[in-house]
Structures are given as structure tokens and as C-alpha cells.
Amino acid sequence: MSAATRSRHSWLLLGVGVAAAAGALLLGVDLVHALVIGIGIAVVIVVAWTVDMSPDPGWTRAPVPGRDGARGELSTLSWTMVGRDGRVGERALRRVRAVGASRLARLGLDVADPADADAIHALVGARAWKVLTITGGRNPSIADVEHAVARLERLDPARPAPETAAHRLPRRTT
């Protein structure tokens, strides 16, 4: 607020206070009480000018960042990994299939497209192909899913797929 505006407000406040006191005197109030009424009205005006009457917006919550792979997600995934019959649970199987479809899509292959079926089967093998495509019946075993994940991890979109079993990574024996 500028000095000129502040000066105008001071004069206006003084004028309202004097007018209130004069009005009280005209109504028959004694001088002391008329001055108290004038000062009281001036105080109410000052408070009204200085108090912000808009509602408080409250605290805004900070957005929660995505925490993929957080402890809770891993715990949930591990509980859903094994079903009641000792096989992979449906939720974990859906996740593995989604990741597998995404990984194969990087190579330009679509699991849902019958035209790509032979290429995917040759790329990941029969055991992993079953995990990625077979629906209905019993879910695959944990070992089958581990095998499929290992085969999907070996896929590299930067280099051509291995043609024969001789190109497989050797297993560790220790």
C-alpha cells in the first residue's frame, strides 16, 4: 500500500470515527460514551480492512511419486506368485505375459498375431511359448515361469535372435 493511499485511509478512518461520535452526541449520549462509540467503530473498520475474509484454502497434498518396484508391490507380487495348488498365481502370470508381450513387441513381434507365432516359438522355445500363450486349464509351474522369464531376459532388440540351441547362454554349475 502506498503512502498516499495509507494517508487517505487514515483521514477516512478519522472522519468515520468523528461522524460516529457526533451521531451518538446527537442521539443524546454523553461525551465520554460518544467518543468510545466513535473509537470502537474506527477499530472495527481497521480490523475489517486488515482481516482477510477469504476462506483458507488449506494444505495441498504433494503428489505421490510412482514407486514401481517398491516394497509393498514386491510383497504383493510375491504373495500372488504361487497359487493354492503350488503353481503360479493368475495375477503373476498376467504380469509375466504382459512383460513378455512388451519385450517381444520391441522386436516387432506380437504374441496375439498368429502370423508371428512361429517366429516367437523359435525365439523363446516351446516351454516359454506355453507360458506366454496357453490359457485355460492349469497354470504353469514356477519353474516354467522362471524359464520363460530367463528366455525373455535374453532377448535383445539390437541383435538378431539366435537360430540354434548352440547360441544359448551356458548354465552356471557353481
Side-chain angles (χ1 to χ4, degrees):
M1 184 182 307
S2 69
T5 306
R6 197 174 304 123
S7 175
R8 252 184 272 133
H9 283 164
S10 299
W11 283 108
L12 181 64
L13 183 61
L14 181 62
V16 168
V18 169
L25 280 174
L26 288 175
L27 292 174
V29 177
D30 64 292
L31 180 64
V32 174
H33 286 104
L35 290 175
V36 170
I37 290 172
I39 293 171
I41 290 179
V43 167
V44 168
I45 291 172
V46 167
V47 169
W49 277 343
T50 57
V51 173
D52 184 16
M53 298 303 287
S54 62
D56 184 23
W59 292 97
T60 57
R61 291 183 178 247
V64 178
R67 297 179 54 187
D68 294 334
R71 182 179 295 188
E73 186 177 329
L74 291 174
S75 174
T76 303
L77 184 60
S78 67
W79 275 100
T80 61
M81 195 69 173
V82 180
R84 290 186 177 148
D85 58 354
R87 296 188 167 273
V88 172
E90 187 62 35
R91 185 173 176 187
L93 184 59
R94 279 194 310 261
R95 181 73 177 133
V96 167
R97 286 179 175 165
V99 169
S102 171
R103 190 74 179 220
L104 290 167
R106 290 183 196 167
L107 296 170
L109 299 171
D110 184 8
V111 177
D113 187 4
D116 292 340
D118 290 335
I120 295 171
H121 190 275
L123 193 62
V124 297
R127 189 173 173 191
W129 172 252
K130 259 189 192 180
V131 171
L132 294 175
T133 58
I134 300 300
T135 58
R138 294 176 65 185
N139 286 347
S141 68
I142 295 284
D144 290 339
V145 171
E146 285 177 355
H147 173 77
V149 168
R151 293 301 298 252
L152 290 169
E153 284 178 344
R154 288 185 204 149
L155 297 180
D156 184 6
R159 64 184 168 99
E163 297 296 326
T164 64
H167 294 281
R168 283 192 219 151
L169 295 175
R171 276 193 176 250
R172 291 186 187 171
T173 56
T174 56

